[in-house]
Amino acid sequence: MAENLRTEYGFRLNAPGYITPAEAKVWFEDLRAKVAVKRGRPFGLMVDIRSQKANPPETQEIIKNAMAWLRQNGMVRSAVVLDSTVARLMMVRMAKQSGVYEWERYIDASKDTDWEHKAIDWITNATEPSKEEDAAA
């Protein structure tokens, strides 16, 4: 089950495994409530989807809507931590469709042990995670 945590830079979303449409709806409702407290103030987001499986189209649609909503409600930058090429391709496609691609970076935790530091550095300082990751996009 996906969970939303408040952090010093904004929010961290942990979403391992397979997410059903019903679980995605509950997750998005919780996220909306947490983000509403910010009242439009800027925030960053780390999305940890290591070990996530391919989700059904209905779940992907909810995630795409959430991505666009987050950007419209104060998200400045996001870092997506993943561990598979399939997850990366899925997230890049959804980011482009939702209009957040420009503000999102992807870090493969299976290839980079310093993934958490790089993700937070992107979120808080706009420091590019690595040229290698950019080239793979």
Side-chain angles (χ1 to χ4, degrees), residues 108-135:
D108 188 337
S110 70
K111 298 176 184 171
D112 191 342
T113 57
D114 197 27
W115 60 266
E116 190 165 20
H117 174 261
K118 288 181 179 177
I120 293 171
D121 210 20
W122 163 250
I123 293 165
T124 58
N125 302 315
T127 304
E128 290 291 341
S130 85
K131 295 302 171 199
E132 181 183 332
E133 285 295 323
D134 294 342

Side-chain angles (χ1 to χ4, degrees), residues 1-49:
M1 180 73 174
E3 66 175 341
N4 304 303
L5 307 170
R6 288 186 183 90
T7 68
E8 63 281 356
Y9 52 79
F11 301 94
R12 178 176 176 149
L13 184 151
N14 296 320
Y18 180 85
I19 302 168
T20 67
E23 290 171 335
K25 287 177 186 170
V26 169
W27 158 76
F28 190 21
E29 292 294 321
D30 178 64
L31 185 60
R32 272 197 283 239
K34 286 184 167 99
V35 170
V37 173
K38 300 289 259 173
R39 294 190 174 102
R41 291 189 305 272
F43 63 89
L45 176 70
M46 183 188 308
V47 180
D48 184 350
I49 59 167

Side-chain angles (χ1 to χ4, degrees), residues 37-74:
V37 173
K38 300 289 259 173
R39 294 190 174 102
R41 291 189 305 272
F43 63 89
L45 176 70
M46 183 188 308
V47 180
D48 184 350
I49 59 167
R50 291 173 294 156
S51 79
Q52 189 172 99
K53 309 296 180 219
N55 290 309
E58 298 87 358
T59 297
Q60 291 181 36
E61 196 62 33
I62 293 165
I63 293 168
K64 268 193 311 195
N65 291 337
M67 293 165 86
W69 184 88
L70 286 162
R71 181 68 189 147
Q72 294 163 359
N73 285 275

Side-chain angles (χ1 to χ4, degrees), residues 77-135:
R77 281 182 293 284
S78 64
V80 179
V81 180
L82 36 76
D83 58 6
S84 79
T85 303
V86 172
R88 182 186 180 95
L89 293 172
M90 179 184 68
M91 290 306 297
V92 167
R93 180 178 49 80
M94 289 193 297
K96 287 180 176 178
Q97 291 173 349
S98 66
V100 302
Y101 182 73
E102 180 181 342
W103 298 279
E104 192 160 85
R105 297 297 180 269
Y106 309 91
I107 302 168
D108 188 337
S110 70
K111 298 176 184 171
D112 191 342
T113 57
D114 197 27
W115 60 266
E116 190 165 20
H117 174 261
K118 288 181 179 177
I120 293 171
D121 210 20
W122 163 250
I123 293 165
T124 58
N125 302 315
T127 304
E128 290 291 341
S130 85
K131 295 302 171 199
E132 181 183 332
E133 285 295 323
D134 294 342

